[in-house]
Amino acid sequence: MKLSHVRCCWTGLAACLALCALTPTAMAEQVARERDIVNLRLGQRILVDDGSCPAGQIKEVSGSQMTATGIVAVRKCIPRLGTKKR
């Protein structure tokens, strides 16, 4: 292999690793109380397990809109994902 091909492969590998490191995780953060949410960002989703939603659901707080006063939080109950417990 030529030196230019090796250098190209290493550059591509380094770029791929950097991209993977900067990608946010797909899982939402979970807190016990809504007041534990400190800095809600636009598009961020946080699960709140405070018992305010019906059985089998959990509250999702998400930053939905940017206003002059800050981020508007939207709250809704969504199905709880994961393994079912008896």
Side-chain angles (χ1 to χ4, degrees):
M1 283 176 66
K2 292 183 178 181
L3 184 59
S4 62
H5 290 304
V6 173
R7 189 175 299 154
C8 182
C9 289
W10 279 109
T11 304
L13 180 62
C16 182
L17 289 175
L19 183 62
C20 290
L22 296 175
T23 305
T25 59
M27 295 183 60
E29 183 181 349
Q30 185 171 340
V31 295
R33 300 176 304 235
E34 196 169 340
R35 68 178 182 206
D36 292 339
I37 301 171
V38 183
N39 292 323
L40 187 64
R41 296 184 306 267
L42 191 62
Q44 182 181 15
R45 295 178 179 179
I46 298 180
L47 302 177
V48 181
D49 193 9
D50 60 359
S52 61
C53 290
Q57 295 186 347
I58 191 166
K59 186 192 303 182
E60 179 187 68
V61 179
S62 60
S64 68
Q65 186 177 13
M66 178 69 98
T67 64
T69 58
I71 303 291
V72 176
V74 174
R75 295 152 187 86
K76 63 181 176 179
C77 293
I78 61 169
R80 185 184 296 263
L81 301 176
T83 59
K84 293 189 178 184
K85 298 179 182 177
R86 292 185 201 188

